Amino acid sequence: MTTWEHSVKAILTALLAVVTISAAHTQSLPGGFVYLRDIDPGIIQDIRYASSNNFVGRPLAGYGAGECVVKREVGLRLKAAQQELAAQGLSLKMFDCYRPARASLDMGKWSQNGHETAAERRYNPKIPKTELFRLGYIASRSQHSTGAALDLTLVDLKADNSARYDPSKAYADCTAPVEARLPEGSVDMGTGYDCTDAKGHTAAPSINPDQRAWRKRLVAAMAKQGFVNYAKEWWHFSLPGAGGAAYDFPIPPRTK
């Protein structure tokens, strides 16, 4: 092999290495979807279905990473809401964003598995889990799978948000006072996230004035950006017209 051929081979090898490294860092999301962290890294994320800290007690099918994935328009509107809230010493906190369709099927199988643990009952203290689909707390075809629906809350950045979930601890159910239920590092909305109880309805009369004020503040901030709240869940919002087809691609780790 000549010196020239050696040089060409070295250059090609170097280029191949660059291409290989670039490919390894490519974000494998369908067109129109983005990582919220790429739009606004300041929005707090606690993607609960990618962990064991949820009503099923394990990561759901398709959650390969604890990342909020949304349609780009949704992400830009969340960024606008975050900018206004930040001026008030507040932040959004995302619990769930895009949800692979297989995760909804996973929820369905869980609801019919014939047993309920004490940890599961924390989330639905009065409703058997076999009834959650019929009563509209879980959907077999979720708007989350279109990339246009979100579960979220507010965080007071001036407060002590250091309390963390301890899987070995026996917390009170999601309707209990905030100091007794599972810690979420957010403002007191009157119930925990994913609380399938009438007290979790956005306009529930059984919550106190401060809790009601926080819910109204969240609804107002989201409504200003065009989001609509689901009346049975104070944490659930969707952006009309931004959805469309349901997707089932798994959530991959963000590699940037």
Side-chain angles (χ1 to χ4, degrees):
M1 186 178 291
T2 66
T3 302
W4 179 83
E5 288 173 325
H6 274 296
S7 299
V8 170
K9 184 177 180 181
I11 292 170
L12 289 175
T13 300
L15 287 173
L16 180 60
V18 170
V19 170
T20 301
I21 291 170
S22 298
H25 288 267
T26 298
Q27 308 300 297
S28 52
L29 296 178
F33 282 88
V34 296
Y35 288 95
L36 180 60
R37 214 176 294 278
D38 289 336
I39 299 290
D40 191 333
I43 296 176
I44 300 168
Q45 298 189 29
D46 180 13
I47 307 302
R48 298 276 287 274
Y49 299 145
S51 72
S52 61
N53 185 13
N54 57 58
F55 63 87
V56 177
R58 56 170 173 77
L60 286 173
Y63 282 81
E67 289 286 347
C68 174
V69 171
V70 290
K71 289 287 184 67
R72 179 173 293 278
E73 181 185 0
V74 172
L76 292 173
R77 294 191 186 217
L78 287 172
K79 180 182 178 70
Q82 177 76 354
Q83 288 175 337
E84 292 207 4
L85 290 166
Q88 306 165 45
L90 301 171
S91 174
L92 295 174
K93 183 173 189 175
M94 314 305 300
F95 288 131
D96 194 34
C97 301
Y98 161 73
R99 179 185 305 166
R102 69 190 74 181
S104 294
L105 295 176
D106 201 2
M107 290 179 182
K109 292 176 182 176
W110 164 85
S111 73
Q112 302 298 321
N113 67 10
H115 64 85
E116 292 188 76
T117 67
E120 290 172 355
R121 295 296 293 173
R122 289 201 302 254
Y123 292 89
N124 44 293
K126 300 174 184 175
I127 303 171
K129 69 182 189 180
T130 54
E131 294 292 291
L132 295 178
F133 278 87
R134 184 181 67 81
L135 295 175
Y137 288 106
I138 305 176
S140 55
R141 184 191 181 280
S142 173
Q143 282 185 303
H144 283 276
S145 298
T146 71
L150 311 156
D151 293 344
L152 71 165
T153 189
L154 292 174
V155 174
D156 181 353
L157 298 174
K158 302 179 295 296
D160 179 4
N161 299 304
S162 61
R164 293 290 181 265
Y165 165 66
D166 180 353
S168 67
K169 188 172 180 180
Y171 296 103
D173 73 59
C174 59
T175 65
V178 66
E179 60 272 10
R181 64 180 188 258
L182 188 152
E184 294 180 333
S186 56
V187 302
D188 180 11
M189 291 289 189
T191 74
Y193 167 56
D194 260 353
C195 189
T196 51
D197 185 88
K199 196 174 179 181
H201 296 184
T202 309
S206 55
I207 59 176
N208 68 42
D210 287 342
Q211 295 162 346
R212 187 171 296 109
W214 279 121
R215 291 188 187 188
K216 288 182 177 180
R217 199 164 179 177
L218 175 61
V219 170
M222 295 298 286
K224 191 169 183 179
Q225 301 303 326
F227 292 96
V228 176
N229 174 247
Y230 177 47
K232 282 190 173 183
E233 299 176 347
W234 60 255
W235 55 85
H236 180 96
F237 293 83
S238 58
L239 184 62
Y247 288 78
D248 190 38
F249 63 90
I251 300 172
R254 177 179 171 274
T255 56
K256 287 184 180 179

